Amino acid sequence: MIDTNAQGTNEAGVTARVKSVTISDDATVLGVVLSFDSRATNYVELADADTYLSYGDNQRLHLRQIADNPYLRISNGQSLTGELVFPGAIPADTKEISLVFNDGNEGSDTSAPGLVVTVPLAAQ
């Protein structure tokens, strides 16, 4: 496990913090805190559009949907704390990854805002 403290925000009011990265042979797991605070809308969905980890030369690991919250819906004034699972392994020599929420959407979108968090990785 790699401890990290990477964070990203967007205009819609989402804050995404990556606290840890665990890489195994068959999955990459991120420990996260996802928060939403805004007067513009009651909730946002962080996995309404393509949500994935990006690394290397356009390589991607796609998010495994969470059974009870497949679109990563967060209500205004709330936080989600837990793990995001991406089936597949990141190569050992990877220096950084990017966590991409709602690829292609603007950060100001009030239903499914886009957000990218760059996460540096220590030597594995």
Side-chain angles (χ1 to χ4, degrees):
M1 181 168 76
I2 301 165
D3 289 324
T4 186
N5 193 19
Q7 181 172 292
T9 62
N10 65 17
E11 299 90 341
V14 175
T15 301
R17 187 168 157 226
V18 178
K19 297 171 69 175
S20 66
V21 178
T22 303
I23 301 169
S24 69
D25 290 340
D26 43 354
T28 301
V29 179
L30 272 56
V32 298
V33 178
L34 309 172
S35 302
F36 176 60
D37 292 284
S38 174
R39 295 176 192 251
T41 186
N42 292 327
Y43 67 88
V44 292
E45 294 180 342
L46 293 181
D48 184 59
D50 204 9
T51 297
Y52 56 86
L53 282 181
S54 173
Y55 64 95
D57 192 22
N58 284 327
Q59 298 296 308
R60 295 180 178 181
L61 299 179
H62 291 272
L63 175 67
R64 175 172 287 150
Q65 288 186 338
I66 300 168
D68 62 348
N69 191 358
Y71 298 105
L72 283 180
R73 180 179 284 196
I74 306 173
S75 296
N76 190 18
Q78 300 295 311
S79 295
L80 297 177
T81 301
E83 295 182 332
L84 299 179
V85 177
F86 299 85
I90 302 291
D93 62 347
T94 302
K95 302 292 185 221
E96 72 177 24
I97 57 177
S98 293
L99 174 56
V100 179
F101 294 100
N102 292 318
D103 188 27
N105 291 7
E106 295 294 325
S108 58
D109 187 314
T110 56
S111 60
L115 176 62
V116 178
V117 180
T118 301
V119 182
L121 301 177
Q124 297 176 24

